[in-house]
Amino acid sequence: MKPSRTAAAIACLAVLALFAAAYGGGIGPGVQDKGAFSWDGLQIALGVSPDVPYVSTPYEIVDEMIRMAGVTPRDVVYDLGCGDGRLVIEAVRKAGCRGVGIDIDPVRIRESRANAKAAGVEDRVRFVEQNFFVSDIREATVMLIYLFPDINIRLRAKFLDEMRPGSRLVSNAFDMGDWGPDATSNVLAQRVYLWVIPANAAGTWTWKAPGKAGGVHTLEIDQRYQKIRGTLRRGAVKTELAEASLAGDRVAFAIEEQAGGLKARREFAGTVRGDAIAGTIVSRQGARAQGSRWRAVRDPSTRRPVETGYQHSDLLWH
């Protein structure tokens, strides 16, 4: 971070740490943290230079993060900069999932392993001493984090590239800049953010409708994170997409036009799998409704990145 931004972020974390301490957000009863410097709940490990100083998350917020992510027994929950391991330990304890915590500080890793053993979940969690910027997170279906805004921004492309569409990302206190969240919550006067990892649907997609008069359809999609818009062209007719949405790997939109003096509407729904979309179409005209299927293929050369760079964070600066 730039010095002024670093100072602002540290000051903010210090305030949050004071608040966390007031609500019993320390390491936990009976746990001695001999390898870290503690200042009103703000704990910075000695002998390492982490990108983010360790601040424990109050358990009320831990519970809300797990709830927002909708953790199930089938999930693999990751925490980058895991501290004392409480986020993954609580997720595993409450939902029966598997968990992985990553931290660069060996003191924190030893503490996490001890806490997992004390909680009786050591067989379902793994703690790795590593720089999380180089960690492989492809198996993560849920990501729970509490990091600086600029660290979130640096990790943003990694989350979008490595996590599968439909995976959930939850951040305590800090946002993802111009990548707007899908949901937010407030706990202990602190905001929690949720994002669902979107598939990459940007580009030019084509398919041929069945029948002699079906013709070739060309779908153009512009995407900014989970927000999409675009057009559908059939022959010389080009129509703007209505109600276009992207939720994980599920894309949906509608086309409205006039046919025979009546308003006609076609509702498209499909699943994005790499350079293919397969799904259903419901065509409505008056009281009539007819279903069909569609399968579109993307020209790989038209695929564009979902993430296009940092804009701003709504918490510390604009």
Side-chain angles (χ1 to χ4, degrees):
M1 295 183 187
K2 294 181 180 179
S4 60
R5 291 181 176 181
T6 303
I10 290 175
C12 183
L13 275 176
V15 171
L16 293 175
L18 282 166
F19 197 78
Y23 279 87
I27 297 172
V31 178
Q32 297 295 321
D33 185 15
K34 297 179 180 178
F37 165 73
S38 178
W39 174 61
D40 290 328
L42 179 63
Q43 299 175 327
I44 304 177
L46 298 175
V48 299
S49 298
D51 287 285
V52 182
Y54 170 54
V55 181
S56 57
T57 302
Y59 280 99
E60 294 91 337
I61 296 177
V62 173
D63 291 343
E64 179 63 5
M65 293 174 75
I66 294 168
R67 185 199 69 79
M68 289 185 74
V71 181
T72 74
R74 297 185 301 276
D75 283 312
V76 180
V77 176
Y78 268 57
D79 178 10
L80 305 187
C82 64
D84 66 2
R86 67 180 60 189
L87 284 170
V88 292
I89 289 171
E90 285 300 294
V92 171
R93 193 176 68 81
K94 290 177 179 294
C97 60
R98 292 191 295 117
V100 179
I102 300 171
D103 205 295
I104 199 171
D105 181 1
V107 174
R108 299 271 80 83
I109 293 298
R110 288 195 297 270
E111 181 182 15
S112 294
R113 289 169 179 164
N115 289 342
K117 185 175 182 179
V121 297
E122 71 270 25
D123 61 327
R124 299 191 64 81
V125 297
R126 177 165 54 94
F127 292 102
V128 182
E129 182 186 334
Q130 190 177 50
N131 180 338
F132 55 61
F133 286 106
V134 301
S135 298
D136 185 337
I137 62 171
R138 286 174 293 181
E139 74 166 341
T141 59
V142 172
M143 181 69 66
L144 307 177
I145 57 172
Y146 185 16
L147 302 169
F148 277 172
D150 276 11
I151 303 301
N152 285 359
I153 300 303
R154 288 167 63 187
L155 287 167
R156 195 167 61 182
K158 184 179 182 69
F159 294 145
L160 289 163
D161 290 343
E162 295 186 25
M163 294 181 70
R164 285 169 287 179
S167 300
R168 290 88 73 204
L169 166 64
V170 179
S171 174
N172 176 24
F174 300 117
D175 68 356
M176 288 280 165
D178 62 319
W179 180 11
D182 292 290
T184 62
S185 179
N186 289 290
V187 185
L188 303 181
Q190 200 157 306
R191 184 167 293 179
V192 181
Y193 301 84
L194 165 72
W195 296 263
V196 177
I197 303 297
N200 186 320
T204 301
W205 305 79
T206 57
W207 72 96
K208 189 177 187 305
K212 294 182 179 180
V216 175
H217 291 64
T218 302
L219 173 65
E220 297 278 357
I221 295 180
D222 293 322
Q223 180 176 357
R224 180 72 170 167
Y225 304 113
Q226 70 273 49
K227 306 290 186 182
I228 62 170
R229 63 182 182 180
T231 60
L232 179 63
R233 187 174 70 248
R234 181 175 56 176
V237 179
K238 189 175 184 179
T239 309
E240 295 284 337
L241 304 185
E243 302 166 21
S245 66
L246 180 66
D249 61 0
R250 297 288 295 169
V251 64
F253 57 89
I255 296 295
E256 297 179 345
E257 51 199 359
Q258 293 292 324
L262 294 175
K263 182 179 179 180
R265 177 182 171 92
R266 287 182 292 157
E267 299 168 352
F268 291 77
T271 302
V272 182
R273 292 284 186 270
D275 288 327
I277 299 176
T280 59
I281 307 170
V282 177
S283 301
R284 304 181 189 277
Q285 188 171 18
R288 293 179 55 203
Q290 182 179 357
S292 60
R293 302 195 65 82
W294 66 300
R295 187 181 187 279
V297 177
R298 173 168 50 189
D299 177 349
S301 68
T302 66
R303 179 184 171 111
R304 297 180 293 277
V306 173
E307 201 250 10
T308 57
Y310 171 71
Q311 296 285 328
H312 69 271
S313 164
D314 70 5
L315 185 60
L316 291 182
W317 56 81
H318 292 269

